[in-house]
């Protein structure tokens, strides 16, 4: 099945950077550069505090909005947390879940990520489920087992008809913010393994519709080759998403491949 049944998605994960005014400025630049094309999906994921300002800037453009996390419960006594409904109210379409930084620093488990993912889908948010191995896991040969656990754990209870609203991001932990990128072949191997897993869990047709993004030091220089791989359907960009021109160049690489 051709990869072009899937629309490329280039998502910027701004992490804990930029206040609301700075976020709005960056979003304005991004929207100016890539907000008019429709071949490739583009989304930016600012900090919670910037969502409203960025939402106003990207309204009416082809740049959509995502959050970086959410709580699994609908509402209640969870001081400091934010619900799916609150994110929808601010026009979020996506929510990043299970990022390795949340798994590492906030000890999020697959079960917690799964609970959030089911809530997100119920609340009409498209989850971007992050999975990826550490260097130690790769070197010890446990990589595919780790990925399997994270994919199966994260997707538990997701029905076949909801699967196409899920985006998976493969982010090898050793490649995040380090300047070390997985080679296109290394990334493709894992992406293909994830799609095979999805085929086993659902079926070939459902697996073929899921977008699997690569994340980890993706930049304009390496994006064309990564995005050309059969099972790489976009990118989750950290550092390079904070520079409008670099982010737009990555979107441009996807547009070229999709044209
Ligand atoms: P970098 O692009 O900075 O390596 O970050 C990747 C990432 O963690 C995106 O979620």
């Amino acid at each position: 099945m051709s990869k072009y049944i899937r629309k490329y998605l280039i998502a910027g994960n701004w992490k804990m950077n930029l206040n609301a005014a700075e976020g709005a400025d960056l979003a304005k630049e991004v929207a100016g550069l890539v907000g008019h094309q429709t071949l490739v999906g583009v989304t930016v994921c600012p900090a919670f505090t910037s969502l409203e300002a960025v939402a106003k800037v990207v309204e009416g453009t082809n740049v959509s909005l995502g959050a970086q996390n959410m709580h699994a419960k609908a509402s209640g006594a969870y001081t400091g947390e934010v619900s799916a409904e609150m994110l929808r109210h601010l026009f979020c379409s996506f929510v990043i879940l299970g990022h390795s930084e949340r798994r590492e620093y906030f000890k999020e488990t697959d079960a917690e990520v799964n609970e959030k993912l089911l809530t997100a889908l119920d609340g009409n948010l498209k989850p971007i489920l992050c999975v990826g191995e550490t260097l130690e896991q790769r070197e010890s040969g446990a990589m595919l087992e780790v990925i399997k656990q994270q994919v199966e754990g994260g997707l538990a209870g997701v029905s076949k008809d909801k699967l196409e609203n899920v985006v998976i991001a493969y982010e090898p932990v050793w490649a995040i913010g380090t300047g070390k990128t997985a080679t296109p072949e290394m990334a493709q191997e894992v992406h293909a393994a994830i799609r095979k897993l999805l085929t086993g869990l659902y079926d070939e047709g459902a697996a073929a519709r899921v977008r699997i993004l690569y994340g980890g030091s993706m930049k304009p220089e390496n994006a064309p080759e990564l995005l050309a791989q059969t099972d790489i359907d976009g990118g989750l960009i950290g550092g390079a998403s904070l520079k409008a021109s670099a982010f737009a160049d990555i979107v441009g690489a996807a547009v070229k491949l999709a044209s």
Side-chain angles (χ1 to χ4, degrees), residues 142-205:
M143 175 179 80
L144 292 178
E145 188 50 40
V146 169
I147 302 289
K148 180 171 187 271
Q149 270 177 26
Q150 291 175 341
V151 170
E152 288 183 356
L155 293 179
V158 174
S159 62
K160 191 157 86 176
D161 60 311
K162 290 220 168 148
L163 185 69
E164 72 179 301
N165 291 326
V166 177
V167 176
I168 294 180
Y170 168 57
E171 300 206 310
V173 178
W174 49 270
I176 296 177
T178 59
K180 289 187 194 134
T181 322
T183 62
E185 295 73 28
M186 283 159 92
Q188 167 58 25
E189 181 199 357
V190 180
H191 282 235
I194 293 172
R195 202 169 312 279
K196 197 168 157 204
L197 257 172
L198 296 174
T199 303
L201 290 170
Y202 298 90
D203 60 34
E204 201 182 334

Side-chain angles (χ1 to χ4, degrees), residues 13 15 99 101 171 175-177 215-218 236-239:
N13 176 6
K15 306 192 180 183
H99 192 281
E101 287 150 15
E171 300 206 310
I176 296 177
S217 300
M218 197 190 255
L236 183 53
I237 325 293

